[in-house]
């Protein structure tokens, strides 16, 4: 069964450093997403991406964040200068998006980001 | 009013019990509705989509009331393996997650 993959599973970084989180969505999917979940809190939408551009973003997704689809398979989230409060689990998700019946999102296993 | 609200939980039930979760949403333009389950420190996994007519998948039944902006999930004959956090997800322009309701099924 096809699945969304994410690397690394755990990233530890120093405050102020740049991090890039990587995702490989399911191959025939058209819509891609990043979410974050701070420990003990709810899943929060960050950004959606379609047709090689951002379609929506939340207020969390400020200038420190960017997304890219550098080739046909990878989808990355970059945090330019990490802050302590960026520590969270980051989930990538994708959906086929051909019709309303393909609204289902499939999530990757997540990257746990720890900012020290 | 929060976009998606759920029963705060936790629900602690014995094996074999029937348990129901409620969810309300504020955006009347929402188009699609889902229940996901999330195990501790894992990714959300789709449990079922929720259709206007209601739908059932084995021991799980989901209902949608668009007029009341209310979604429910019923789990019958609960198993130990049903222990998880159940997330109500509503799609308007984007997907909005509820805070989740934790279920513990006890032996």
């Amino acid at each position: 069964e096809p699945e969304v993959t994410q690397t690394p599973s755990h990233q530890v970084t120093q405050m102020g450093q740049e991090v890039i989180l990587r995702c490989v969505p399911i191959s025939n999917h058209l819509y891609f997403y990043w979410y974050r979940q701070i420990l003990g809190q709810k899943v929060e939408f960050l950004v959606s991406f379609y047709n090689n551009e951002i379609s929506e973003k939340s207020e969390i997704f400020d200038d420190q964040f960017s997304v890219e689809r550098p080739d046909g398979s990878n989808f990355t989230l970059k945090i330019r200068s990490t802050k302590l409060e960026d520590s969270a689990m980051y989930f990538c998700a994708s959906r086929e998006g051909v019709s309303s019946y393909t609204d289902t999102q499939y999530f990757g296993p997540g990257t746990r980001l720890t900012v020290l | 009013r929060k976009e998606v609200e759920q029963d705060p939980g936790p629900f602690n039930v014995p094996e074999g019990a029937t348990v129901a979760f409620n969810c309300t949403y504020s955006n009347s333009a929402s188009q699609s509705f889902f229940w996901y389950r999330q195990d501790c420190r894992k990714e959300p996994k789709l449990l079922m989509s929720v259709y206007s007519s209601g739908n059932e998948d084995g021991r799980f039944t989901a209902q949608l009331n668009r007029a009341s902006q209310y979604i429910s999930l019923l789990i019958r004959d609960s198993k130990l393996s049903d222990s998880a956090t159940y997330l109500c997800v509503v799609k308007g322009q984007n997907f909005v997650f509820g805070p989740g309701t934790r279920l513990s099924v006890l032996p």
Side-chain angles (χ1 to χ4, degrees):
Chain A
E1 184 178 314
E3 57 184 19
V4 177
T5 60
Q6 289 186 243
T7 53
S9 57
H10 192 187
Q11 174 90 49
V12 182
T13 190
Q14 295 289 327
M15 191 169 58
Q17 295 296 303
E18 174 183 286
V19 294
I20 297 176
L21 310 183
R22 292 183 166 79
C23 169
V24 178
I26 294 172
S27 62
N28 64 332
H29 285 191
L30 302 177
Y31 290 81
F32 314 116
Y33 303 83
W34 282 102
Y35 294 87
R36 79 171 186 192
Q37 187 174 29
I38 295 170
L39 189 63
Q41 298 187 24
K42 69 174 188 175
V43 176
E44 298 175 290
F45 167 76
L46 292 178
V47 65
S48 59
F49 193 86
Y50 171 71
N51 200 26
N52 285 318
E53 60 183 25
I54 291 173
S55 46
E56 293 292 331
K57 59 184 181 179
S58 70
E59 58 259 25
I60 302 169
F61 193 89
D62 61 22
D63 292 345
Q64 292 300 311
F65 291 87
S66 62
V67 289
E68 208 174 34
R69 189 156 159 82
D71 52 43
S73 58
N74 289 285
F75 178 51
T76 62
L77 174 69
K78 183 192 291 186
I79 309 175
R80 263 180 269 285
S81 177
T82 49
K83 303 189 279 286
L84 295 176
E85 53 265 36
D86 292 328
S87 295
M89 182 74 96
Y90 288 81
F91 292 110
C92 174
S94 69
R95 70 180 174 101
E96 191 176 13
V98 173
S99 74
S100 61
Y101 293 103
T102 55
D103 263 350
T104 302
Q105 289 184 106
Y106 296 89
F107 283 78
T111 294
R112 180 166 299 284
L113 176 65
T114 302
V115 182
L116 303 175
Chain B
R1 183 180 171 187
K2 292 180 183 172
E3 288 190 82
V4 179
E5 298 191 72
Q6 295 186 239
D7 290 329
F11 284 53
N12 299 312
V13 303
E15 269 187 289
T18 295
V19 60
F21 301 134
N22 301 315
C23 170
T24 57
Y25 59 95
S26 60
N27 182 0
S28 59
S30 299
Q31 305 146 4
S32 307
F33 309 89
F34 309 88
W35 284 102
Y36 279 75
R37 68 170 279 166
Q38 186 176 29
D39 294 291
C40 190
R41 296 181 178 250
K42 299 286 190 181
E43 74 273 25
K45 291 191 175 176
L46 180 71
L47 184 64
M48 56 198 305
S49 302
V50 188
Y51 304 118
S52 296
S53 54
N55 47 302
E56 187 174 308
D57 182 3
R59 297 182 293 108
F60 300 86
T61 301
Q63 298 278 352
L64 168 64
N65 184 324
R66 284 187 186 268
S68 302
Q69 296 179 202
Y70 167 89
I71 307 156
S72 66
L73 176 67
L74 184 77
I75 305 176
R76 288 181 300 279
D77 187 24
S78 51
K79 314 286 185 197
L80 296 176
S81 57
D82 294 333
S83 297
T85 296
Y86 289 82
L87 308 175
C88 175
V89 182
V90 174
K91 181 179 179 289
Q93 199 156 24
N94 276 306
F95 292 84
V96 181
F97 282 71
T101 302
R102 187 187 296 180
L103 171 66
S104 292
V105 181
L106 308 172

